[in-house]
Amino acid sequence: MKVAKTIESVRRLVKAARGKGKKIGFVPTMGALHIGHISLIKKAKLKTDFVVISIFVNPTQFGPGEDFEKYPRPLKADLEICKKAGVDVVFAPTAKQMYPRENITWVNVEKLTEQLFGRSRPGHFRGVTTVCAKLFNIVAPDLAFFGQKDAQQAIVIKRMVADLNMPLKIVVCPTVRQPDGLAVSSRNQYLAAQQKKDAALIYKSLQKCRQMIKDGISNSKTIISRMRKVLQQAPSIKIEYISLVDAETLRELDKITGKVLTAVVVKIGSTRLIDNILIDTEKK
Ligand code: PAF
């Protein structure tokens, strides 16, 4: 496994692999790797011949007062994980490499970023799409792998790739969960033991939603209010929002129909946790 710290070196390594006829897979991450990331690497290894992972805590996707400074950066442990998982190249640039001067060119996907997470984290998606566009230009992968856990991010990135005719395909992989249902996330490590237990209610509320839709309840207000009750069992959970949206347009649905994305965002202490499920009402 090679570790590339510069844009020039990762480009050289990818070019050499491509020269040997290899298909390039790319897993962009912010490090603090966990089994969710490992599942993306595994998928990338299955679908491509040469896997590049980036580890970069991207400053432009954090708002003022968010956890940019405290975001975990266990690079040594991450490199071990990558080695074990069979990654070919880790691209771990500095902020100076990625943003050598004031950044005045931004990639902004409209509409899809105005709802859901975009409301509670203004500017977040502009940072994500800009850094992903940069990373795609640097690594030039054939396939890039994203987790369903960040459903809106995956939808927004797919749209950016389509709208800008970027020559790669986005592969979205299922959310990895702990046995109690909690979606695996780098931010889970901020939680104390009791908070972690409470966080399992997030998935319980999503399961409740799935069951209600299965039972024929189609009024989203009713569904949301019952999901709230599940979450309110733990006083530590502060609900930011629960939304039932069209899985393609991300428009809020009053009446449940078609493919529905149910998204939950809560805060436990100062940690924001997100999760979602996709429900195809036609396939009850
Ligand atoms: O999902 C993440 O970890 C980040 O948003 C990404 C895609 C690596 C961009 O910084």
Side-chain angles (χ1 to χ4, degrees):
M1 183 180 85
K2 295 265 189 320
V3 180
K5 294 266 186 195
T6 64
I7 292 169
E8 201 195 351
S9 55
V10 72
R11 277 195 171 138
R12 197 177 339 106
L13 292 164
V14 171
K15 197 175 166 196
R18 196 181 289 290
K20 291 183 191 145
K22 293 191 174 174
K23 193 170 177 182
I24 314 297
F26 178 46
V27 182
T29 82
M30 298 207 300
L33 303 179
H34 50 63
I35 51 172
H37 297 113
I38 296 171
S39 79
L40 298 180
I41 296 169
K42 278 193 182 148
K43 193 57 169 268
K45 282 188 70 70
L46 212 68
K47 298 242 173 203
T48 65
D49 316 304
F50 190 83
V51 176
V52 180
I53 174 171
S54 62
I55 297 179
F56 178 60
V57 184
N58 172 38
T60 64
Q61 69 190 73
F62 290 80
E66 289 188 349
D67 57 346
F68 174 66
E69 302 296 339
K70 100 168 189 200
Y71 200 86
R73 290 162 171 87
L75 186 61
K76 218 171 143 211
D78 284 349
L79 293 180
E80 272 311 306
I81 290 172
C82 290
K83 207 167 170 185
K84 263 202 198 134
V87 166
D88 295 289
V89 175
V90 178
F91 177 46
T94 58
K96 199 100 191 114
Q97 263 294 301
M98 291 299 285
Y99 298 104
R101 60 193 84 80
E102 183 195 359
N103 200 64
I104 55 171
T105 305
W106 300 96
V107 179
N108 192 29
V109 175
E110 296 173 0
K111 293 190 178 165
L112 296 175
T113 58
E114 283 150 24
Q115 300 94 325
L116 301 175
F117 219 36
R119 269 186 271 144
S120 46
R121 296 187 76 186
H124 167 71
F125 285 114
R126 186 183 79 150
V128 171
T129 41
T130 301
V131 82
C132 285
K134 285 164 77 70
L135 289 166
F136 294 164
N137 281 335
I138 293 164
V139 177
D142 297 291
L143 300 179
F145 297 80
F146 287 82
Q148 171 63 27
K149 181 181 156 282
D150 297 307
Q152 190 176 9
Q153 168 170 282
I155 291 167
V156 167
I157 297 284
K158 266 190 169 171
R159 186 57 184 259
M160 171 186 82
V161 164
D163 283 357
L164 297 181
N165 307 95
M166 293 179 165
L168 75 151
K169 196 174 158 235
I170 301 300
V171 182
V172 183
C173 306
T175 303
V176 177
R177 300 184 179 281
Q178 291 183 179
D180 64 2
L182 175 64
V184 173
S185 159
S186 305
R187 288 189 169 96
N188 290 354
Q189 59 186 277
Y190 298 152
L191 302 172
Q194 183 57 47
Q195 290 178 322
K196 250 184 207 156
K197 276 192 191 146
D198 294 348
L201 288 173
I202 300 169
Y203 188 53
K204 291 224 166 67
S205 74
L206 289 166
Q207 282 175 310
K208 176 92 186 167
C209 168
R210 192 187 291 285
Q211 189 57 47
M212 281 186 281
I213 292 177
K214 218 172 176 180
D215 293 344
I217 299 173
S218 63
N219 183 308
S220 63
K221 277 206 183 102
T222 309
I223 296 172
I224 290 170
S225 92
R226 293 198 196 156
M227 287 176 70
R228 275 185 180 278
K229 287 212 174 94
V230 175
L231 292 166
Q232 281 160 352
Q233 287 170 41
S236 68
I237 296 183
K238 304 279 171 275
I239 302 168
E240 278 199 1
Y241 66 79
I242 302 171
S243 279
L244 279 80
V245 299
D246 179 283
E248 256 171 49
T249 62
L250 298 184
R251 263 192 232 110
E252 298 271 349
L253 294 169
D254 293 329
K255 199 170 162 13
I256 299 311
T257 168
K259 278 199 184 126
V260 181
L261 176 75
T262 305
V264 174
V265 179
V266 305
K267 264 198 163 174
I268 300 186
S270 59
T271 304
R272 185 183 274 125
L273 297 173
I274 67 173
D275 201 354
N276 69 83
I277 50 168
L278 267 176
I279 302 166
D280 188 345
T281 57
E282 259 107 70
K283 282 197 215 152
K284 271 189 211 175

